[in-house]
C-alpha cells in the first residue's frame, strides 16, 4: 500500500514539472518576437535619420516601420503607408541604408 502512495506522489510531481515546463515554453514563445534577432537592432537605436523620406519633414519617433532589419521613421502615418507600398523608391534618401 505504501508503495502505491509513493507512485501517486511521483506522478503528481511529474505532472507538476510538465505544467511548469509548459508555462516556461509559453513564456519563451511570447518573449521571442520582442527581442531583436540581429545585433544590428541595437545599432539602429541611435537614430541617424532626421527627416521623413516621403515628405522631407522632421520625423516623429513614434511613427516607424522596419525595413531590412532597420527602423525607418516618418512624419505621419500616411508616409509610412507610402513607404511600405514602395520602399525601394525611398531608401536612397535614408542614411541608415547608405554604407
Ligand atoms: Zn512624411
Amino acid at each position: 500500500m505504501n508503495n502505491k502512495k509513493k507512485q501517486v506522489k511521483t506522478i503528481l510531481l511529474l505532472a507538476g514539472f510538465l505544467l511548469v515546463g509548459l508555462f516556461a515554453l509559453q513564456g519563451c514563445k511570447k518573449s521571442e518576437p520582442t527581442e531583436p534577432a540581429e545585433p544590428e537592432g541595437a545599432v539602429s537605436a541611435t537614430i541617424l535619420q532626421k527627416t521623413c523620406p516621403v515628405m522631407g519633414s522632421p520625423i516623429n519617433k513614434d511613427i516607424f516601420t522596419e525595413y531590412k532589419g532597420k527602423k525607418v521613421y516618418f512624419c505621419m502615418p500616411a508616409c509610412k503607408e507610402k513607404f511600405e507600398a514602395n520602399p525601394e523608391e525611398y531608401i536612397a534618401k535614408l542614411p541608415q541604408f547608405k554604407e
Side-chain angles (χ1 to χ4, degrees):
M1 272 310 183
N2 222 10
N3 213 15
K4 250 193 178 175
K5 261 189 184 171
K6 255 189 185 172
Q7 268 191 333
V8 170
K9 258 193 179 174
T10 317
I11 288 164
L12 277 174
L13 249 164
L14 277 172
F17 274 125
L18 265 171
L19 268 171
V20 170
L22 274 171
F23 273 115
L25 267 176
Q26 275 189 332
C28 275
K29 272 181 188 168
K30 268 183 188 172
S31 65
E32 251 175 48
T34 54
E35 282 174 45
E38 292 167 53
E40 268 179 77
V43 177
S44 72
T46 38
I47 303 168
L48 289 164
Q49 197 192 331
K50 296 256 181 346
T51 54
C52 170
V54 182
M55 304 252 301
S57 311
I59 53 156
N60 181 338
K61 283 170 193 168
D62 296 324
I63 306 165
F64 62 87
T65 187
E66 243 174 68
Y67 185 68
K68 291 184 177 174
K70 285 172 182 175
K71 276 181 178 168
V72 180
Y73 296 86
F74 307 94
C75 63
M76 59 166 127
C79 293
K80 187 184 150 192
E81 279 169 36
K82 274 191 185 176
F83 177 86
E84 282 172 345
N86 201 358
E88 295 293 334
E89 198 178 301
Y90 301 106
I91 56 168
K93 297 175 187 173
L94 294 164
Q96 59 269 52
F97 290 99
K98 285 176 191 163
E99 293 299 315

